[in-house]
Amino acid sequence: NYYHHRSEESGKGGASLSTIKNEQSSINAMMEWLYKRNEVTIREFDFKKLPRIYNDEEAIRRATFTPEEVTNLRKALFDEATEVAKDLKNKRNLTRFITAYYLMVASITGLRTGEQRQLTWGDIRFDTVVKGEGDDEEEIPVVAITVRAETSKVRKRRVFYVQDDELFDNLLKAMKPLMGKQKLSDCLIFSRDGKAMIKEHDILETFAWALKKAEVKDHEKRNLVPYSF
């Protein structure tokens, strides 16, 4: 009865439904990992089905940006990333650089937060697709992204393509020298050292800055979050 326990804890109504969902997902991801290594005898916990709640969480789910706002946000983030890239030895600059690219990638992929933060360089592949025929034929750069079953919220592997204006390429060129002798395919994409995921706090800080810089109207009342992409 995990949901009942967490929702009734001290504070304003306990933990939110989305928090509890993420916790249960994380717990069973851990159990799966332990089970494969013969550390436990059960593969997962059979949590009680969570209730459907249509309140603030549904408002957040529906909160999205206008096309114009997305364009302005991408410009603000790209300009900031370009500026801080001049000195990535500075820890703050490096964090802002990674989180800016994190948000730009979020805007072209629509990935869930947990899925995106756990992406490794081995999960992506640079490719091209051909559009048109004959003289009108054009090669368009794309990135194939694999979401592994163990990082997926629904525990199913999927592969999809996104048209990419060199976001992943720019990020790789900047971060590769910082990975040292590590096997690149195993390194986390959104990480300062390839091992530790970038903190959610840092993502939210850059997100809040970008909302103001892009002059997104009424962003607090609209419940806009990175997941809004």
Side-chain angles (χ1 to χ4, degrees), residues 98-141:
I98 296 170
T99 51
Y101 268 92
Y102 174 94
L103 293 167
M104 286 189 284
V105 168
S107 76
I108 66 171
T109 63
L111 280 164
R112 295 183 178 99
T113 303
E115 294 173 344
Q116 186 172 339
R117 290 178 70 207
Q118 295 181 79
L119 278 181
T120 67
W121 287 109
D123 293 327
I124 72 165
R125 176 170 54 84
F126 296 97
D127 203 348
T128 58
V129 295
V130 177
K131 181 181 179 181
E133 297 179 357
D135 294 337
D136 296 326
E137 189 174 290
E138 177 187 7
E139 283 195 346
I140 299 174

Side-chain angles (χ1 to χ4, degrees), residues 57-99:
E57 300 210 8
E58 286 301 311
I60 291 174
R61 188 184 301 277
R62 292 192 298 270
T64 56
F65 297 104
T66 67
E68 182 182 5
E69 287 172 339
V70 172
T71 299
N72 293 339
L73 281 165
R74 285 177 182 163
K75 184 180 185 307
L77 290 164
F78 185 79
D79 289 347
E80 177 71 356
T82 302
E83 181 61 30
V84 297
K86 295 174 182 177
D87 180 17
L88 292 182
K89 291 182 180 179
N90 180 296
K91 186 176 179 181
R92 182 188 177 281
N93 285 357
L94 180 59
T95 299
R96 180 57 66 89
F97 179 81
I98 296 170
T99 51

Side-chain angles (χ1 to χ4, degrees), residues 14-81:
S16 69
L17 180 63
S18 60
T19 295
I20 295 170
K21 281 183 177 179
N22 289 334
E23 288 176 353
Q24 292 184 173
S25 179
S26 297
I27 289 168
N28 273 340
M30 177 191 70
M31 294 305 297
E32 175 78 11
W33 189 90
L34 291 169
Y35 181 82
K36 287 179 178 178
R37 289 157 180 77
N38 297 315
E39 297 288 346
V40 294
T41 56
I42 60 171
R43 195 164 199 147
E44 65 178 16
F45 292 111
D46 186 17
F47 292 109
K48 287 186 178 182
K49 191 173 181 179
L50 294 175
R52 293 177 66 87
I53 297 178
Y54 300 97
N55 47 28
D56 291 342
E57 300 210 8
E58 286 301 311
I60 291 174
R61 188 184 301 277
R62 292 192 298 270
T64 56
F65 297 104
T66 67
E68 182 182 5
E69 287 172 339
V70 172
T71 299
N72 293 339
L73 281 165
R74 285 177 182 163
K75 184 180 185 307
L77 290 164
F78 185 79
D79 289 347
E80 177 71 356

